[in-house]
Amino acid sequence: MRRSQSILIVDDSSIIQQTTKLILVNGQFQSSNIYCASNASEAIKYCQQQTFDILFLDFNLGFGSTGLQLLERLYHNKLLQHSPLIFILTADDSPAVLMGFSEYQPDDYLVKPLRLNTLKQRLEYTFKQRAINDRAFEYYRHSGINGVETICAQSNASVSTYCTTITAVAKRLFNQKQPHLYPDIEALLNLTQHHYQHLPAQLLLAQLWLQQQNFQALNPLLTQLRGLYPDHLMLLEYSACSALLQQEITQGYDFWLQAHNVSKNNLHRLFGLLWIEYHFHNHTAMQQHLREAISYLRYSVWDKPYHHAFIVWLQLQHSDKKNMPIERLWRTISQQKTITKNERPFIYLLQAWQYLDNGNNLNAYKSYIAAMENAQQTTQGQYNFEFDAIALCISKRLAMTRHQINCYQRLQQHLDQHKNEPHSIIKNMWLATMQPTSSHQTDDNYRYALRLVKKKYYTEAGQSILLLWPQYRFDDVLARCLIELSSRGYIDNDPQHQQWIKEARWTFESQEFKPDWYLKLKAQYHCLQRPLY
């Protein structure tokens, strides 16, 4: 059995790799089944190609991801669903490092330098416990909960082994994500609750009740456990999620912040903090967390264009970087020399925001449209939440009602698909403040103005459309009407009105392929040939 088990060692030191491999070979593992990776990227490729029974992960991997970020990526990419043994190798056994890994519940920690006897003892204990867990699960499948208790009794299990076995079976059932199993999971975990205070079982019970949103049972348990383990990351995370799902945003933020101060590596939690700080205008805390996000983002599982865009967008609003070139800000985060095709829509969108800040509405509109067109052409990440959130804010500032409605509806659909996630609670609160106040489909004044055009009451139509324009700027239907009416002399020379005519013209001038009707009209009327700048 042992000779056939596959092992992956992840360490940036070739000496540590070979030393660990030699110890394992001396421990009767087959050399041909032992693989070594020097960084997170190599490790991920190995895990994509095959499943490993045992992983040894170094914490400090030198340049690139840490072992903690690697573990996060492997879980996020569902490469560890077969539940391999996971051992953390570290020369730093400080509470911060160990607590950071605790969210992923590795099987053991091994402090460097490794010693053969220590490793053998740890492996023997872990294999023995795994064997008991496997037998207990088989007994459960045949005889239910009584079968699990039977195998524990037959093994003369110690209290620790008994609790660990019960929890392992319950966790396997929980990972199947089948609600009809929840009563058995709760009953199993309560076996340890009634007799022993076994923290892993209590944490899994808390996770189950959080999944069910059984706050009446969950909240007292979390309060009790926080009194015993005030800085335990999983407890703080579950407490934050519970508070947020109950709309207790301030309390949820405090728990998340406490967890972040214990371990700063979890970027999903950090982005949750940033969303709360953005929504409640907590600029001071947001600046600090932006710096941390930039520092930890590279090579993490969250190293995606939409997170880069979110960070740059927040920087543009609340820092001295608001007038820096967008591509320069972007490269500071991504550490890349060039902008990729999938990043380009975000760059255009952020440039539109920056143009708005500088009062250049025409170029803001042009960049916005370029962003939307490029997003449709890319193969990944079109219209994700961050993209549409920024687009919604831009379209609202430009008073582009049609675009506001489209962005708002896509954001609603996204949140409906993730409605039980803590991040969605915050985003829903923010989105509620961004609801469009009108729609051309239900606006009687909009329909009335178009009827005036159809009936050829051009002077009255021009006046009605000018009244509508501040609310429906860059609307292509109203823009065409304004251009045609203006070129034929039905719009007065009021400076504000002439500025709106420029915006109406720019609706089509900014397009790479201009409509035929516009080109014909432009050739016919000299006033449409004047430069807009």
Side-chain angles (χ1 to χ4, degrees):
M1 172 67 179
R2 180 173 298 189
R3 293 175 61 83
S4 66
Q5 288 182 318
S6 58
I7 300 171
L8 178 62
I9 302 167
V10 188
D11 199 297
D12 62 319
S13 168
S14 59
I15 296 175
I16 297 294
Q17 289 178 15
Q18 295 307 314
T19 302
T20 307
K21 184 173 182 179
L22 182 60
I23 291 174
L24 291 169
V25 170
N26 289 336
Q28 300 180 1
F29 289 94
Q30 190 170 334
S31 177
S32 60
N33 289 336
I34 302 174
Y35 299 79
C36 296
S38 300
N39 54 56
S41 297
E42 285 183 24
I44 291 169
K45 288 178 183 177
Y46 273 126
C47 291
Q48 289 171 335
Q49 294 166 2
Q50 69 179 91
T51 57
F52 290 95
D53 300 301
I54 307 172
L55 279 77
F56 291 90
L57 307 181
D58 184 25
F59 170 66
N60 187 355
L61 294 176
F63 179 75
S65 291
T66 65
L68 183 54
Q69 290 172 331
L70 169 60
L71 199 55
E72 184 182 21
R73 292 175 76 178
L74 293 174
Y75 272 109
H76 185 75
N77 294 341
K78 296 180 170 54
L79 296 173
L80 300 179
Q81 290 186 312
H82 60 293
S83 300
L85 294 174
I86 299 174
F87 294 90
I88 305 303
L89 305 176
T90 179
D92 180 3
D93 59 349
S94 63
V97 170
L98 301 183
M99 188 58 74
F101 279 105
S102 71
E103 290 191 86
Y104 301 100
Q105 297 181 299
D107 291 275
D108 210 340
Y109 300 90
L110 300 170
V111 180
K112 297 180 183 178
L114 288 179
R115 290 179 172 81
L116 177 59
N117 289 337
T118 302
L119 182 55
K120 278 185 174 181
Q121 290 173 2
R122 299 289 182 84
L123 287 172
E124 289 295 344
Y125 173 80
T126 305
F127 289 149
K128 182 179 179 182
Q129 182 63 61
R130 277 290 178 103
I132 296 173
N133 296 347
D134 291 341
R135 290 203 306 274
F137 188 72
E138 287 302 314
Y139 270 66
Y140 168 82
R141 292 175 63 183
H142 290 96
S143 307
I145 296 173
N146 291 334
V148 180
E149 292 191 284
T150 299
I151 188 63
C152 289
Q154 290 177 354
S155 305
N156 294 318
S158 65
V159 170
S160 174
T161 302
Y162 172 81
C163 293
T164 301
T165 303
I166 295 289
T167 306
V169 173
K171 188 170 184 179
R172 284 198 196 183
L173 295 175
F174 182 80
N175 288 340
Q176 292 182 22
K177 298 180 180 179
Q178 297 181 18
H180 73 273
L181 295 174
Y182 288 171
D184 275 9
I185 298 170
E186 187 168 346
L188 281 166
L189 295 172
N190 279 330
L191 291 176
T192 66
Q193 278 281 91
H194 293 325
H195 304 292
Y196 316 104
Q197 296 300 309
H198 184 60
L199 181 59
Q202 292 171 314
L203 289 172
L204 186 57
L205 189 59
Q207 190 177 1
L208 173 66
W209 286 338
L210 185 63
Q211 178 85 16
Q212 298 173 309
Q213 297 196 17
N214 181 2
F215 301 118
Q216 186 175 359
L218 174 63
N219 292 338
L221 175 62
L222 291 176
T223 300
Q224 173 197 343
L225 293 178
R226 285 197 308 271
L228 299 171
Y229 312 97
D231 289 328
H232 195 287
L233 273 179
M234 294 180 69
L235 274 176
L236 293 172
E237 179 69 23
Y238 295 161
S239 298
C241 293
S242 174
L244 292 169
L245 290 170
Q246 295 175 83
Q247 304 288 328
E248 296 170 353
I249 309 302
T250 301
Q251 190 178 47
Y253 175 83
D254 289 341
F255 285 131
W256 257 350
L257 185 61
Q258 187 179 346
H260 177 71
N261 289 333
V262 172
S263 175
K264 299 181 183 295
N265 288 280
N266 189 314
L267 282 166
H268 189 252
R269 181 162 52 234
L270 181 54
F271 279 110
L273 289 172
L274 285 170
W275 265 107
I276 296 176
E277 288 156 1
Y278 166 67
H279 180 63
F280 289 104
H281 309 290
N282 187 350
H283 305 323
T284 302
M286 189 167 69
Q287 289 302 317
Q288 176 188 338
H289 290 144
L290 280 174
R291 289 190 292 270
E292 292 174 354
I294 294 170
S295 173
Y296 290 105
L297 182 63
R298 187 69 177 141
Y299 300 110
S300 77
V301 69
W302 309 109
D303 188 6
K304 305 291 183 184
Y306 55 88
H307 279 131
H308 297 182
F310 182 56
I311 289 173
V312 174
W313 183 48
L314 295 181
Q315 286 180 319
L316 291 176
Q317 295 179 69
H318 306 292
S319 78
D320 54 0
K321 297 180 176 63
K322 64 187 307 178
N323 291 316
M324 286 179 63
I326 298 299
E327 293 194 10
R328 181 179 170 187
L329 286 171
W330 190 275
R331 286 194 293 268
T332 300
I333 300 171
S334 68
Q335 299 296 309
Q336 296 175 169
K337 294 182 179 179
T338 58
I339 304 297
T340 67
K341 180 181 178 181
N342 288 328
E343 293 172 327
R344 185 58 61 183
F346 295 99
I347 299 295
Y348 285 133
L349 206 59
L350 294 165
Q351 287 173 337
W353 183 274
Q354 196 171 60
Y355 280 130
L356 277 173
D357 281 345
N358 293 321
N360 191 336
N361 292 342
L362 299 186
N363 271 336
Y365 172 77
K366 184 176 181 180
S367 291
Y368 174 88
I369 295 300
M372 305 307 285
E373 291 174 349
N374 274 259
Q376 292 176 351
Q377 295 168 7
T378 57
T379 57
Q380 55 177 259
Q382 304 107 307
Y383 300 131
N384 54 58
F385 191 91
E386 283 72 15
F387 182 90
D388 272 326
I390 300 171
L392 176 61
C393 291
I394 292 171
S395 60
K396 191 176 183 70
R397 291 179 70 183
L398 283 171
M400 299 189 299
T401 301
R402 289 178 189 256
H403 287 276
Q404 284 184 62
I405 293 171
N406 291 338
C407 290
Y408 183 84
Q409 289 175 344
R410 287 196 298 270
L411 289 167
Q412 274 192 317
Q413 290 170 3
H414 177 94
L415 293 176
D416 286 344
Q417 294 168 3
H418 305 85
K419 57 185 176 182
N420 290 326
E421 293 183 6
H423 280 228
S424 296
I425 304 298
I426 310 303
K427 292 173 180 176
N428 253 319
M429 292 181 62
W430 169 78
L431 189 59
T433 67
M434 300 295 292
Q435 186 171 0
T437 56
S438 61
S439 167
H440 65 281
Q441 296 174 336
T442 57
D443 191 332
D444 291 338
N445 293 327
Y446 187 99
R447 294 199 296 265
Y448 174 69
L450 296 186
R451 283 201 300 272
L452 290 175
V453 174
K454 189 174 182 179
K455 292 180 179 180
K456 301 182 180 181
Y457 298 152
Y458 295 135
T459 301
E460 295 87 345
Q463 293 172 351
S464 295
I465 293 173
L466 286 171
L467 289 173
L468 287 169
W469 187 256
Q471 190 175 349
Y472 294 96
R473 287 165 64 190
F474 300 105
D475 181 289
D476 53 353
V477 175
L478 297 185
R480 177 172 181 172
C481 292
L482 279 182
I483 292 168
E484 291 180 339
L485 293 173
S486 172
S487 61
R488 292 168 183 159
Y490 291 104
I491 304 293
D492 59 42
N493 290 321
D494 179 273
Q496 181 62 76
H497 295 169
Q498 291 305 308
Q499 178 60 34
W500 291 343
I501 298 301
K502 282 186 177 182
E503 293 178 355
R505 283 182 57 195
W506 190 246
T507 305
F508 306 104
E509 283 285 350
S510 60
Q511 297 178 13
E512 184 177 357
F513 301 103
K514 300 170 182 58
D516 289 340
W517 69 265
Y518 180 74
L519 293 175
K520 290 178 182 178
L521 205 64
K522 188 174 180 180
Q524 184 179 356
Y525 292 98
H526 181 73
C527 63
L528 297 181
Q529 299 169 17
R530 296 171 190 159
L532 289 173
Y533 287 101

